[in-house]
Amino acid sequence: MNAVPELVQQLEGFVELIASAIESKDWEDLNELLANRQEVLERLRASSPSPLERQAIGDMIASMQATDSQFVALVQSQKELLQKQAASLAHDRKAIQAYQTE
């Protein structure tokens, strides 16, 4: 029995789940999804695909890399926003402390 098509389908299913986790800022779920996707990739790597399946796998991996680049950009922008908010909060706390000590 050839599990390659099933593994490819599982990998393709992660795209929507990962996008949803990023959109909802569910970083724990994102981490779990990425770990699960890695497990499926490892199983795919250990399989014995036919030459035709190898081509499909290569195309799917190229697509996954392009999508991952978009995901990284989204996560990076969220990270930068959170860093700005944290810096602003720290500044506000210092101002409050300075006001209270006067």
Side-chain angles (χ1 to χ4, degrees):
M1 181 175 152
N2 188 352
V4 172
E6 180 184 322
L7 294 172
V8 169
Q9 186 176 11
Q10 286 179 8
L11 288 170
E12 290 171 345
F14 278 106
V15 173
E16 254 185 68
L17 297 172
I18 290 170
S20 177
I22 292 170
E23 184 178 323
S24 64
K25 300 175 186 164
D26 188 345
W27 309 123
E28 289 180 28
D29 190 35
L30 177 62
N31 236 6
E32 187 176 323
L33 287 167
L34 292 173
N36 291 341
R37 185 180 76 168
Q38 184 62 37
E39 289 175 16
V40 176
L41 280 167
E42 292 297 327
R43 290 192 347 238
L44 184 62
R45 186 173 172 261
S47 69
S48 300
S50 70
L52 185 60
E53 289 172 330
R54 275 189 284 246
Q55 179 62 45
I57 290 168
D59 293 344
M60 186 265 312
I61 297 233
S63 174
M64 187 184 332
Q65 288 173 326
T67 304
D68 281 357
S69 292
Q70 294 172 349
F71 289 156
V72 167
L74 287 170
V75 171
Q76 186 64 34
S77 69
Q78 288 294 327
K79 177 184 172 188
E80 291 169 4
L81 179 64
L82 289 172
Q83 286 174 329
K84 287 178 184 177
Q85 289 173 345
S88 176
L89 182 59
H91 179 269
D92 291 349
R93 283 185 178 161
K94 284 182 184 179
I96 290 170
Q97 287 175 344
Y99 179 76
Q100 290 175 338
T101 57
E102 289 182 10

